[in-house]
Amino acid sequence: NPQPTAETTPTGKVVEGAGNTVVATGNAVSQIGQEIKDTSVPLLPATAKNATGDVVIQTGETVATLGAGVRDGLGKIGAVDNPVGVTVANTGNVVTQAGATVVSTGSLVKALGADQLSPMAPVTTPVGGVVQTVGAGVMTLGGKLGETLSTGPVAQLTDSTSKAIVPLTTQLTSATQTVGAATGLGAPV
């Protein structure tokens, strides 16, 4: 007989819903970025318009990455071994994605010196390059942060924390349901 699969706790299901909402919000922001790219904007160079859309898309992806970490970690309390660890380790992904947003912002700054705005290029090109370099550094930091947060002492700490919160959330949910049943609180009127 196969062993029963662990089930997500009620608390986990609430957090999973919140994570899904954040993911959906990020996806909606990214869609707005795509609409910016698909729109004609007079007087704005196409490269600047597209770069603006890319910044918005990257921002949405950063938000969605954050939501996915919450959903896939704390949103799976009871169903995964270390839900705190999954969420904490995802911080590296969020930082990496934020770095990609900064890189896109550098591209936008550079694009503000294109076409009819080319007189601004002597300023926008080097500044945009610096912003892109900073973004690349943030991306590298995100990768290292993710590694640090998912191994060694941090992983041990998140594992211990997860082992403490899973029974605690289960007991809290059970006690709340017992009180509600005994008092009639939460019953339809």
Side-chain angles (χ1 to χ4, degrees), residues 92-189:
N93 296 333
V94 173
V95 171
T96 298
Q97 188 57 52
T101 304
V102 175
V103 170
S104 289
T105 302
S107 297
L108 171 58
V109 172
K110 282 183 169 182
L112 291 174
D115 299 333
Q116 62 269 38
L117 300 177
S118 61
M120 295 174 50
V123 174
T124 61
T125 300
V127 171
V130 168
V131 173
Q132 288 176 317
T133 301
V134 169
V138 171
M139 291 175 70
T140 301
L141 176 67
K144 291 178 181 179
L145 182 62
E147 175 70 23
T148 300
L149 294 176
S150 62
T151 58
V154 176
Q156 292 171 351
L157 177 62
T158 59
D159 187 53
S160 298
T161 304
S162 290
K163 286 181 177 22
I165 67 163
V166 172
L168 182 63
T169 60
T170 302
Q171 290 172 357
L172 182 61
T173 301
S174 178
T176 303
Q177 289 172 341
T178 301
V179 168
T183 64
L185 289 174
V189 227

Side-chain angles (χ1 to χ4, degrees), residues 58-108:
Q58 293 292 340
T59 300
E61 289 179 5
T62 301
V63 171
T65 300
L66 174 66
V70 171
R71 177 196 64 207
D72 298 342
L74 293 175
K76 302 291 184 202
I77 292 174
V80 297
D81 287 338
N82 186 357
V84 174
V86 170
T87 296
V88 168
N90 187 61
T91 304
N93 296 333
V94 173
V95 171
T96 298
Q97 188 57 52
T101 304
V102 175
V103 170
S104 289
T105 302
S107 297
L108 171 58

Side-chain angles (χ1 to χ4, degrees), residues 5-70:
T5 305
E7 209 173 294
T8 303
T9 66
T11 302
K13 289 178 183 176
V14 170
V15 175
E16 179 180 29
N20 283 333
T21 300
V22 174
V23 169
T25 301
N27 291 342
V29 170
S30 291
Q31 184 59 42
I32 291 168
Q34 188 58 52
E35 289 174 18
I36 290 169
K37 290 177 76 164
D38 295 342
T39 302
S40 176
V41 182
L43 302 177
L44 186 65
T47 52
K49 175 192 61 117
N50 289 334
T52 300
D54 287 340
V55 169
V56 176
I57 289 168
Q58 293 292 340
T59 300
E61 289 179 5
T62 301
V63 171
T65 300
L66 174 66
V70 171

